[in-house]
């Protein structure tokens, strides 16, 4: 009985760890995509463009 309970709990812990790892990977991918997007928007402008604001 106890061993069955432990088995279930270990499976639950493993499942939650896998979900957390997946969430971290997705968040990292979103952050990287956002960084790339911001870099493309903030591309360097020429001197005359900067002067005009």
């Amino acid at each position: 009985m106890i061993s069955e309970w432990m088995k279930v709990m270990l499976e639950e812990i493993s499942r939650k760890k896998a979900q957390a790892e997946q969430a971290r990977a997705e968040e990292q991918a979103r952050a990287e995509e956002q960084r790339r997007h911001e870099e493309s928007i903030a591309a360097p402008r020429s001197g005359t463009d900067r002067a005009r604001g």
Side-chain angles (χ1 to χ4, degrees):
M1 178 92 168
I2 295 292
S3 62
E4 184 64 27
W5 178 83
M6 286 182 70
K7 178 181 173 188
V8 170
M9 294 311 297
L10 289 172
E11 288 172 353
E12 182 71 10
I13 290 168
S14 179
R15 183 182 64 78
K16 286 184 178 185
K17 284 175 75 176
Q19 285 178 336
E21 189 174 314
Q22 179 67 28
R24 278 192 301 274
E26 290 172 0
E27 177 59 30
Q28 186 175 10
R30 280 193 297 273
E32 180 65 22
E33 182 61 29
Q34 180 68 25
R35 184 187 63 78
R36 279 194 222 117
H37 179 70
E38 288 172 357
E39 285 178 354
S40 69
I41 290 174
R45 299 186 304 178
S46 71
T48 55
D49 287 343
R50 270 187 253 132
R52 282 188 233 146

